[in-house]
Amino acid sequence: MSEGFFAGAYGGDASRLPAEAKLECKICWHVYDPADGDAVWQVPPGTAFSDLPEHWSCPQCGASKQGFLVLDD
């Protein structure tokens, strides 16, 4: 498992999600880090998870955004 602890499911609610929040796929454990962006989807570094397009999915397994869990660093 990756670093950090689960703080809860994202579920599409961006209202309480900090811009720097890292989120982890609950299927394959891929971590989306806004500082890194996503090279697969050509998302530039500095893009908050809540600013990803609705059609964005996990670059490793294809899970939807709603399938990600907020990591508490």
Side-chain angles (χ1 to χ4, degrees):
M1 198 108 127
S2 70
E3 67 191 64
F5 298 96
F6 295 133
Y10 166 64
D13 180 11
S15 65
R16 51 194 186 133
L17 189 63
E20 69 278 0
K22 295 178 186 176
L23 287 92
E24 182 175 62
C25 178
K26 67 181 180 180
I27 295 173
C28 72
W29 300 332
H30 169 75
V31 174
Y32 178 79
D33 184 345
D36 298 334
D38 179 358
V40 173
W41 280 88
Q42 299 178 349
V43 174
T47 303
F49 189 83
S50 59
D51 292 334
L52 293 171
E54 285 304 311
H55 64 274
W56 182 89
S57 61
C58 178
Q60 287 187 5
C61 73
S64 70
K65 284 175 67 174
Q66 287 72 25
F68 276 68
L69 302 169
V70 181
L71 289 176
D72 184 17
D73 288 322

